[in-house]
Amino acid sequence: MKEQFEWWRTATIYQIYPKSFCDSGSQGTGDIQGIISKLDYLKTLGVDAIWLTPVYSSPMIDNGYDISDYYNINPDFGAMADFDKLLEQAHQRGIRIVMDIVVNHTSTEHAWFQSALGDKNSPYRDYYIWKDPVDGGAPTNWQSKFGGNAWELDEATGQYYLHLFAKEQADLNWENPQVRREVKDVISFWAEKGVDGFRLDVINLISKQQDFSNDCLGDGRRFYTDGPRVHEYLQEISDEVFQKYGSVTVGEMSSTTLEHCQQYSSVDGKELSMVFNFHHLKVDYSNGEKWTKAPFDFLQLKEIFNHWQQGLNGKGWGALFWCNHDQPRIVSRLGNDQQYRVESAKMLAASVHMMQGTPYVYQGEEIGMTNPGYTSIEQYRDVESTNMYDIMVNELGVSKQDMLAILAQKSRDNSRTPMQWNSSQYAGFSAGKPWLDVAGNYPEINAEKAVADDNSVFHFYRRLIELRKEIEVITTGDYSDMMPEHKNIFCYKRESQSQVLICINNYYGEVVECFLPKSIDLDQGEFVLSNYAGVTEQSPSHCFALQPYETRVLLINR
Ligand code: TEU
């Protein structure tokens, strides 16, 4: 079967957010030379590939997700020669490079937009989405994902352009075949250089319903999410570019459905290799609202995993992840980042790494980095966070204190704090003052300490990455939740013809009894991984106590 020949089905991918990863100098922002200096660290961790978030020319309103030139490197990160060196050095170590491609929108500083702005006759006008005003105002009531209306007025022509994100990120008009030609050229340019794959930013938003009507039920997303021509567009790029270069591809899918994801990542390889979806990361949104402070819904979390694991099995392929540059740190979110930081970070890791899919590890996750606990709005840099603070406090009357508490839980800056390398000043991230404050716990939580300690979160991740390559059922097995109603335990089974694997996780800080059904034959079983001492030496039984945030992985060879 074709599947067995695709490297990424047993691979683990490490995400680097270059601005916060490692600064080779003292400017306080990370750079490509900094990344090169840490390749041996990543080799020790054992990852197969790096996903590099955008390093292209950009005014950095959204830290690189606003690209002003797809063919150049942002001088803050280095030069093209540095990038070429990174590619070469990574490849020498057997590490592949996946580039981030942001083509739902460009920066308004991109030459195409600059030509289009204020000139209806520009050859680039139709690269973007322009509409006349309605009743003297915005063409529709669609909301930007970063707050406010999604249309911005071009004073010179009296028309509005669409921006689903910041107003400095103008949406491209994919209906225009010339835009699609440009996108294919951009991707081919990087593939020709030897880049191994692509992560496609909000790729399920590229096809908009063309009547551009008001959304009386919501914020407009139903008119452009998984839109009418999205599969056709992806097939076109895949056919002309991805398949030609054998690129691995992962699409970031915003507010998507299982049915669409089965098609995006379908095993016939006509669209993408795999998909990110975010439903499991909304279990701490109150009534679907991100800007709230809410505990997480454990039963819902298990239900969502079950739905996606079963639904993609044999039909598509998913990315497995807790963390990225848009999400708060998982150990602060679902774990306990104080008393049980190490235990809960490991337990959370095991509970997604033993599923079917390709795991992604976001920089710092592998050492159990936490949210920084910022207490002042001055500490935040993220455009979404500062916009929402402004809207919630100044327009909606939320108190500053409440909004700061929400940001401390939900802001994207929680994951963007500088990587904690060692206990020296600025956590060894830079010789100069970092662009975003380092979390205060760096003297305790840092890569140097973690690598030196056999019981660290780092070595647990290293083992998870190895296990995926050693145990076939992790890649191939069916998935079933063995205790969907249990209030504390997340216990699921993976099953193939030759193996059964059971991943047992206590999601809370209390000891809990766990009973495995008698129908499970434990004779050939062994615990292959645990986050408490002594467990892997025990012979498995059907009844045992789970310690706070304990995880155990049981393997049974048939
Ligand atoms: O993110 C897409 C996206 O919609 C979210 O992750 C978003 O940041 C969050 O849900 C808002 O509440 C991608 C990138 O990962 C993100 O960094 C960019 O800002 C965004 O696209 C625009 O390019």
Side-chain angles (χ1 to χ4, degrees):
M1 218 177 135
K2 176 172 162 246
E3 284 169 36
Q4 310 211 322
F5 299 102
E6 289 162 331
W7 63 270
W8 42 268
R9 292 194 198 261
T10 53
T12 299
I13 301 184
Y14 188 86
Q15 184 194 350
I16 292 184
Y17 195 66
K19 195 171 180 181
S20 303
F21 189 63
C22 179
D23 179 7
S24 65
S26 58
Q27 61 176 4
T29 53
D31 53 28
I32 295 175
Q33 284 297 335
I35 300 174
I36 295 172
S37 73
K38 299 298 181 188
L39 287 172
D40 288 330
Y41 167 81
L42 298 180
K43 187 72 197 159
T44 307
L45 181 59
V47 297
D48 300 271
I50 293 169
W51 152 27
L52 201 61
T53 67
V55 287
Y56 316 94
S57 303
S58 162
M60 301 294 273
I61 296 289
D62 191 18
N63 284 342
Y65 284 92
D66 46 330
I67 299 174
S68 54
D69 180 354
Y70 291 99
Y71 295 97
N72 270 305
I73 300 291
N74 180 342
D76 290 347
F77 294 132
M80 191 60 92
D82 297 304
F83 178 80
D84 293 341
K85 184 91 182 160
L86 169 63
L87 198 57
E88 177 207 299
Q89 291 287 311
H91 283 169
Q92 258 180 32
R93 290 166 177 80
I95 298 175
R96 292 175 161 93
I97 299 283
V98 172
M99 293 286 273
D100 213 314
I101 296 286
V102 187
V103 285
N104 174 69
H105 44 267
T106 72
S107 162
T108 49
E109 286 191 17
H110 194 289
W112 302 333
F113 190 84
Q114 284 299 308
S115 165
L117 187 69
D119 180 4
K120 283 189 171 173
N121 298 317
S122 157
Y124 294 102
R125 183 78 174 178
D126 195 39
Y127 272 39
Y128 297 90
I129 301 169
W130 303 94
K131 294 285 162 226
D132 290 326
V134 170
D135 298 331
T140 72
N141 63 349
W142 297 6
Q143 292 295 297
S144 151
K145 308 250 181 207
F146 293 162
N149 187 275
W151 297 92
E152 186 73 10
L153 180 64
D154 172 15
E155 303 241 345
T157 63
Q159 287 192 311
Y160 285 78
Y161 66 87
L162 179 69
H163 61 90
L164 294 182
F165 294 88
K167 67 179 190 318
E168 296 86 355
Q169 294 165 299
D171 279 56
L172 283 164
N173 174 21
W174 278 68
E175 296 286 319
N176 180 349
Q178 192 55 35
V179 165
R180 305 205 296 277
R181 178 73 268 145
E182 300 270 13
V183 167
K184 288 177 279 189
D185 288 350
V186 165
I187 301 173
S188 302
F189 170 82
W190 293 98
E192 278 293 328
K193 270 190 172 286
V195 161
D196 306 278
F198 303 96
R199 176 264 187 193
L200 300 146
D201 189 61
V202 288
I203 200 67
N204 67 327
L205 308 185
I206 57 178
S207 167
K208 280 83 175 167
Q209 279 188 26
Q210 290 301 299
D211 50 358
F212 293 93
S213 42
N214 258 333
D215 189 355
C216 49
L217 299 176
D219 63 4
R221 69 181 64 193
R222 65 197 172 103
F223 297 132
Y224 56 75
T225 303
D226 302 316
R229 296 181 69 188
V230 64
H231 294 287
E232 172 199 331
Y233 294 156
L234 286 176
Q235 284 167 22
E236 181 180 321
I237 309 179
S238 172
D239 188 43
E240 292 180 41
V241 188
F242 300 145
Q243 293 179 44
K244 175 171 159 198
Y245 291 98
S247 318
V248 62
T249 50
V250 52
E252 188 204 24
M253 304 302 173
S254 171
S255 306
T256 189
T257 63
L258 175 61
E259 292 66 32
H260 278 288
C261 285
Q262 288 168 339
Q263 199 178 336
Y264 291 131
S265 64
S266 114
V267 283
D268 63 15
K270 287 205 168 121
E271 294 186 19
L272 302 173
S273 316
M274 63 185 115
V275 286
F276 284 113
N277 87 78
F278 296 90
H279 295 284
H280 64 297
L281 294 174
K282 295 185 178 171
V283 294
D284 57 358
Y285 288 13
S286 170
N287 295 322
E289 284 296 322
K290 173 169 174 171
W291 301 104
T292 51
K293 205 169 169 293
F296 75 100
D297 184 333
F298 180 52
L299 296 190
Q300 191 192 15
L301 179 73
K302 294 195 282 186
E303 200 182 300
I304 293 169
F305 278 134
N306 196 59
H307 178 71
W308 285 85
Q309 283 289 303
Q310 294 192 342
L312 286 180
N313 188 14
K315 298 208 167 82
W317 197 257
L320 304 170
F321 71 106
W322 285 124
C323 299
N324 68 27
H325 63 293
D326 297 330
Q327 300 291 333
R329 293 286 179 184
I330 201 63
V331 67
S332 302
R333 193 172 182 181
L334 305 190
N336 175 328
D337 64 7
Q338 302 293 320
Q339 194 185 349
Y340 296 113
R341 184 186 66 86
V342 170
E343 290 81 359
S344 62
K346 290 177 179 176
M347 181 282 289
L348 289 162
S351 61
V352 293
H353 278 247
M354 292 297 109
M355 292 183 185
Q356 185 177 64
T358 300
Y360 284 71
V361 178
Y362 175 67
Q363 64 186 47
E365 177 185 343
E366 78 283 10
I367 57 168
M369 273 176 64
T370 67
N371 290 349
Y374 290 160
T375 51
S376 154
I377 189 62
E378 315 303 322
Q379 291 176 290
Y380 290 93
R381 299 283 175 274
D382 170 32
V383 57
E384 181 191 49
S385 304
T386 53
N387 278 358
M388 291 316 297
Y389 181 88
D390 196 41
I391 292 172
M392 305 264 297
V393 171
N394 298 329
E395 291 174 26
L396 302 177
V398 173
S399 78
K400 288 183 179 170
Q401 204 185 357
D402 286 352
M403 189 57 192
L404 283 173
I406 293 173
L407 285 177
Q409 191 183 73
K410 297 285 172 61
S411 169
R412 305 195 297 180
D413 279 339
N414 283 310
S415 59
R416 298 176 180 183
T417 61
M419 175 71 186
Q420 294 164 205
W421 292 107
N422 57 44
S423 54
S424 69
Q425 195 185 23
Y426 307 134
F429 160 72
S430 171
K433 187 172 163 41
W435 69 283
L436 185 67
D437 287 350
V438 178
N441 54 24
Y442 74 90
E444 266 318 297
I445 306 170
N446 63 62
E448 194 176 282
K449 275 201 162 173
V451 172
D453 171 5
D454 286 347
N455 288 319
S456 68
V457 179
F458 179 88
H459 288 290
F460 194 85
Y461 270 87
R462 201 178 48 68
R463 189 69 193 123
L464 286 170
I465 294 166
E466 274 172 4
L467 283 179
R468 175 163 293 273
K469 297 205 172 359
E470 291 168 7
I471 302 176
E472 157 270 315
V473 69
I474 299 174
T475 308
T476 60
D478 293 342
Y479 177 99
S480 60
D481 189 336
M482 296 175 69
M483 305 178 188
E485 303 298 332
H486 201 291
K487 299 272 191 299
N488 298 61
I489 301 176
F490 179 22
C491 176
Y492 63 84
K493 181 166 72 170
R494 306 288 314 282
E495 203 163 3
S496 71
Q497 280 189 344
S498 55
Q499 291 177 317
V500 174
L501 179 139
I502 301 178
C503 183
I504 309 153
N505 306 285
N506 179 3
Y507 264 62
Y508 293 90
E510 296 93 46
V511 177
V512 60
E513 288 272 285
C514 182
F515 300 95
L516 294 177
K518 285 278 182 250
S519 56
I520 306 272
D521 179 0
L522 295 175
D523 284 353
Q524 304 299 318
E526 53 168 338
F527 288 119
V528 290
L529 190 70
S530 147
N531 58 348
Y532 275 82
V535 174
T536 49
E537 289 87 56
Q538 290 169 22
S539 21
S541 60
H542 287 93
C543 166
F544 47 89
L546 285 174
Q547 298 304 308
Y549 298 101
E550 180 165 353
T551 180
R552 299 179 177 210
V553 179
L554 173 64
L555 179 67
I556 303 161
N557 283 303
R558 286 171 151 168

